[in-house]
Amino acid sequence: MGRKTECRDYTDGKVQASLDDAKAFKSIKEGLTEDGKERMKAYGDKLTDDQIKSLVAYVHTFKK
């Protein structure tokens, strides 16, 4: 499913190096839209800012 939706491989060191924490935080909080199509739902109404920061930090642990 990840390949089908063109998700990035967060276990890849190059992907991790390009991960901008502020952008990741904003994407989780506000969602992502591309070409008028929702790519990711917003979670700002479900998660606190501290939880989102923790989630971004957790994604960094995926690096092999």
Side-chain angles (χ1 to χ4, degrees), residues 3-4 14-15 24 27 29 35 38-39 44 46 48 62:
R3 287 187 191 116
K4 184 178 179 182
K14 291 179 184 177
V15 173
S27 296
K29 186 167 182 126
D35 297 327
E38 183 181 66
R39 300 275 294 162
K46 297 180 181 7
T48 66
F62 296 170

Side-chain angles (χ1 to χ4, degrees), residues 9-60:
D9 180 2
Y10 290 105
T11 63
D12 185 305
K14 291 179 184 177
V15 173
Q16 283 282 342
S18 71
L19 181 63
D20 179 287
D21 289 358
K23 286 182 183 178
F25 179 92
K26 183 178 181 194
S27 296
I28 295 167
K29 186 167 182 126
E30 299 174 9
L32 281 174
T33 305
E34 187 176 286
D35 297 327
K37 183 178 178 183
E38 183 181 66
R39 300 275 294 162
M40 186 176 103
K41 294 181 181 183
Y43 288 90
D45 61 338
K46 297 180 181 7
L47 301 172
T48 66
D49 286 356
D50 284 340
Q51 289 173 319
I52 295 171
K53 287 176 188 174
S54 293
L55 182 56
V56 172
Y58 179 66
V59 170
H60 283 292

